[in-house]
Amino acid sequence: MSFVKSVDKLSEWTGALSAWLVAPLIAVVMYEVLMRHIFNAPTAWGYDVSWMLFSAQFLIGGAFTHLRKGHIRIDIIYSVLSQRAQAIYDAWINIIVILPPMVLFGWAGINYAAEAFASSEKLSTTNWFFPSGPPKTLIPIGLFLLAIQCLAEIIRNIRQIKKGGQA
Amino acid sequence: MSIDQVAAIIMMVFLLGMVICGIHLAFALMFLAIVFGLIFQGMSIFPMSMLSIFGTMESEILIAVPLFVFMGTILEKSEVAEGVYQSLYELFGPIRGGLAFATIITCTIFASCTGVIAATVTTMTLLAVPSMLKRKYDKGLATGVVCAGGSLGILIPPSVMLVMYGPMANLSVAQLFAAALFPGLVLAFLYLVYIGIGSWLKPTLAPAITEEERTVRGKELLWKAAKNMLPSLFLILAVLGSIIAGVASPTEASGVGAFAALIIAAAYRKLNWSNLKDAAYTTLIVSAMVFFIIIGASIFNSVFLFLGGGALIKSMLMSMPFGKWFILFVMMFILFILGFFISWQGLLFIVVPIFLPVAQSLGFNPLWFGILICLNLQMSFLTPPFAYAIFFVKGAAPPEVKTVDIYRGVIPFVFLQAVAVFLCVVFPELILWLPRVTLGGAGA
């Protein structure tokens, strides 16, 4: 399987995973509501688990959203370009505007998470004191997935430019 | 003006330029933040941006965004809107402008359960526009009504815009919900009055349907209307009521609302695998799109404020003549103009953080100011060339509807939105009364 196809597959899978995180998210919020308002016994973990599920959803789903062209943009100028020009334009946007921030912030995310693991830092949001390393690791995971998808888009764009050149 | 401040202005100009050139808002924000951050702050931009990202992740209130989107999508998939529109169609059809009334009311009900407009506008275009065109309604009116009604979703609580406005401005989302309710209803009422007067003055604008076209009457009609409307009305009242009464947090209410929407879908026999999957994926894409913008904007803003850009714009605005009402007018006007080109998420996270401290030093009530901003941002849905509502209507309307028809149709509604902003400025109690009564405070 080619690089582009494998990356698309990867984003489809991570997209499915993060899309279905909405189910446990609803379940955890519901459970917490029941325990807090009806049984008067709020859980220690409900609050933290729900924001972790929520942030995992949008961070891991970023790559899939890029694949599906879900990140919004104004297409007044873009839509009047020819297909070939669109591919050239997209390639440059991916190379200059999207890829570098994803790689740099992703790398910063690795350091950020590694520090949390090394110092066995705990979350201070509630009294549950869950380690902060795992949720912080979501940042580099999400951004690198997006960076990889971005590479695949660049290759796809370049292929399209070449194809357009022959026609 | 220092070099840093010049850089901040350049950063803002580049952002507008990149966005207008069609670069994704989320990535343009991150890109500029990295470039300007590295030049002026050095490597400390990285740990700082990680704190911004983690801050967004930890924010409990924002969990309500995906949950409200999921709730709305499930209700949309349950074809509740279809049922409601059908029964209102029978109820109001025989009066002039009746189908337009039915559209606005259906939209208002759905506005209160979706919080995003794409689904409402598309559904209503498919439903209401063909039926209005068939009855020889004016094309502009038929599409303008759907644009305007559909955009109510972003204002009438539970609205995703308000959930995002709250943490940014340090306001309680519950108070914002309570505060937005009456302005939203006033707007819907203005729309109804406009349609009523318009179709009375000009009968060809929106002719009545004939008696023979009604399929059900009397008791049967009322029963049909009740069956279609009560479950969703009940859901809305439960979700909104528990938030506005202060019983549940918006996040809790959104979770329960999402769950209840699943039950309603099951009751209408629409709870199947493909609907669930569609709803989960729609939620993901809206969520990732919005939160990448929020992350980008929070990093962008910290660099922009570090460079002193916020202080610069504040001093420029504050030094304007004619007092605080003129400054308010200028801020609203800037938002309105930028709304032609930039989507509301961009305006909310880039322009509003600059205006907030200005409003604060002018002594405006933050809750009142917040609702004025959201009313204003709602206009950006209707102002071309970049107008979500118009895109969605054009995408789903029958081919005989031209974009020009829609442009013509939205003009009166944009005007009515401006009237609503004006009313809220003159009568601040429209905004402040409900949150004060229910939650005992109108913003600190």
Side-chain angles (χ1 to χ4, degrees):
Chain A
M1 212 175 356
S2 76
F3 175 73
V4 176
K5 271 192 184 153
S6 339
V7 173
D8 287 357
K9 204 89 203 152
L10 177 68
S11 292
E12 293 279 352
W13 276 101
T14 52
L17 170 77
S18 55
W20 288 114
L21 282 179
V22 77
L25 178 59
I26 295 174
V28 170
V29 174
M30 274 298 286
Y31 184 78
E32 182 67 16
V33 169
L34 285 180
M35 294 311 282
R36 179 181 300 269
H37 292 285
I38 296 178
F39 299 105
N40 225 347
T43 63
W45 48 267
Y47 182 94
D48 282 326
V49 170
S50 48
W51 71 252
M52 283 183 219
L53 286 169
F54 146 77
S55 46
Q57 186 208 33
F58 74 81
L59 280 169
I60 296 178
F64 175 75
T65 306
H66 192 44
L67 172 68
R68 289 289 175 89
K69 306 199 183 307
H71 293 289
I72 54 156
R73 61 195 298 188
I74 300 182
D75 55 3
I76 327 171
I77 299 175
Y78 185 76
S79 59
V80 298
L81 298 177
S82 70
Q83 266 199 336
R84 189 180 136 85
Q86 285 185 349
I88 296 174
Y89 198 44
D90 276 342
W92 283 115
I93 292 178
N94 274 304
I95 292 170
I96 298 176
V97 182
I98 310 182
L99 191 57
M102 289 308 130
V103 172
L104 290 172
F105 283 137
W107 162 79
I110 290 184
N111 290 336
Y112 186 60
E115 266 172 44
F117 275 113
S119 61
S120 12
E121 187 192 49
K122 302 273 185 283
L123 289 172
S124 52
T125 39
T126 62
N127 288 331
W128 189 39
F129 302 121
F130 188 76
S132 69
K136 286 184 175 175
T137 312
L138 290 169
I139 301 176
I141 293 178
L143 299 184
F144 279 130
L145 282 172
L146 219 159
I148 298 171
Q149 184 60 48
C150 197
L151 278 176
E153 295 297 327
I154 294 169
I155 297 173
R156 205 193 325 267
N157 289 329
I158 292 176
R159 275 189 198 154
Q160 206 175 353
I161 297 166
K162 282 191 179 152
K163 216 168 64 188
Q166 284 158 1
Chain B
M1 220 193 297
S2 68
I3 295 184
D4 280 9
Q5 286 180 326
V6 175
I9 300 298
I10 295 177
M11 193 174 168
M12 191 58 86
V13 171
F14 274 14
L15 179 70
L16 289 180
M18 287 172 85
V19 168
I20 291 172
C21 287
I23 293 172
H24 314 74
L25 177 62
F27 302 126
L29 286 163
M30 293 188 203
F31 174 79
L32 288 171
I34 276 211
V35 170
F36 283 79
L38 277 176
I39 296 174
F40 291 92
Q41 277 176 281
M43 295 303 272
S44 68
I45 173 78
F46 291 114
M48 189 211 72
S49 51
M50 290 304 118
L51 287 178
S52 295
I53 297 181
F54 202 60
T56 305
M57 294 167 63
E58 276 186 323
S59 133
E60 193 247 0
I61 185 80
L62 293 176
I63 301 174
V65 173
L67 292 178
F68 279 137
V69 173
F70 185 81
M71 175 178 102
T73 318
I74 286 288
L75 287 180
E76 185 234 326
K77 297 279 169 207
S78 315
E79 293 170 21
V80 186
E82 280 80 348
V84 172
Y85 182 72
Q86 284 310 328
S87 28
L88 289 174
Y89 173 98
E90 304 275 351
L91 272 175
F92 291 111
I95 18 175
R96 272 188 213 162
L99 302 186
F101 288 137
T103 306
I104 294 286
I105 296 173
T106 313
C107 285
T108 309
I109 294 173
F110 277 84
S112 16
C113 53
T114 59
V116 278
I117 72 141
T120 321
V121 173
T122 308
T123 312
M124 289 311 294
T125 308
L126 292 171
L127 266 177
V129 173
S131 68
M132 285 191 271
L133 293 182
K134 202 171 139 201
R135 300 295 163 338
K136 302 275 183 286
Y137 272 49
D138 177 77
K139 279 183 204 159
L141 181 76
T143 49
V145 159
V146 174
C147 286
S151 307
L152 284 170
I154 205 70
L155 185 68
I156 295 184
S159 120
V160 170
M161 186 195 280
L162 297 170
V163 173
M164 298 200 282
Y165 191 92
M168 194 184 60
N170 268 325
L171 288 171
S172 122
V173 173
Q175 287 194 345
L176 280 167
F177 276 13
L181 189 60
F182 280 115
L185 294 178
V186 164
L187 204 46
F189 180 71
L190 287 175
Y191 294 164
L192 292 177
V193 170
Y194 163 74
I195 297 163
I197 295 178
S199 53
W200 179 63
L201 289 177
K202 197 178 160 203
T204 53
L205 194 64
I209 67 173
T210 55
E211 193 58 32
E212 297 80 64
E213 286 180 271
R214 302 174 76 185
T215 49
V216 283
R217 286 184 191 75
K219 246 190 202 157
E220 202 190 337
L221 174 58
L222 284 178
W223 165 240
K224 192 180 161 199
K227 195 179 76 179
N228 284 321
M229 288 169 72
L230 286 182
S232 21
L233 271 181
F234 179 75
L235 172 68
I236 295 158
L237 289 178
V239 167
L240 268 188
S242 60
I243 297 173
I244 292 180
V247 182
S249 75
T251 305
E252 290 173 334
S254 67
V256 177
F259 187 73
L262 289 172
I263 295 177
I264 290 181
Y268 284 118
R269 312 213 177 280
K270 289 288 190 302
L271 190 64
N272 54 40
W273 180 250
S274 91
N275 282 348
L276 265 181
K277 192 177 158 194
D278 276 359
Y281 275 81
T282 304
T283 307
L284 167 67
I285 287 183
V286 171
S287 200
M289 180 267 279
V290 163
F291 286 104
F292 269 80
I293 294 176
I294 295 189
I295 287 177
S298 66
I299 303 174
F300 178 93
N301 274 330
S302 54
V303 177
F304 184 76
L305 295 179
F306 174 86
L307 293 173
L312 176 68
I313 293 182
K314 185 179 166 187
S315 68
M316 280 160 83
L317 281 169
M318 296 297 282
S319 65
M320 275 191 309
F322 312 126
K324 67 175 189 175
W325 296 106
F326 182 69
I327 301 177
L328 179 74
F329 173 78
V330 171
M331 290 194 283
M332 290 295 150
F333 189 70
I334 293 175
L335 269 183
F336 176 71
I337 295 297
L338 289 176
F340 281 80
F341 304 102
I342 301 185
S343 70
W344 65 271
Q345 296 99 334
L347 293 174
L348 186 61
F349 285 96
I350 301 157
V351 184
V352 176
I354 303 173
F355 285 173
L356 280 176
V358 180
Q360 207 172 15
S361 11
L362 292 173
F364 290 129
N365 181 306
L367 195 56
W368 172 80
F369 185 73
I371 299 301
L372 286 189
I373 296 254
C374 292
L375 270 169
N376 197 326
L377 291 183
Q378 196 213 5
M379 287 193 225
S380 75
F381 282 94
L382 301 185
T383 46
F386 191 74
Y388 275 121
I390 296 179
F391 291 162
F392 295 134
V393 169
K394 182 71 187 96
E400 74 239 47
V401 175
K402 299 279 171 289
T403 310
V404 193
D405 296 324
I406 312 179
Y407 284 179
R408 184 169 53 82
V410 296
I411 294 169
F413 292 100
V414 173
F415 177 73
L416 291 173
Q417 290 178 329
V419 171
V421 174
F422 180 75
L423 284 177
C424 288
V425 172
V426 180
F427 305 107
E429 283 297 292
L430 274 176
I431 294 171
L432 298 176
W433 180 77
L434 188 61
R436 189 173 57 237
V437 175
T438 58
L439 297 158

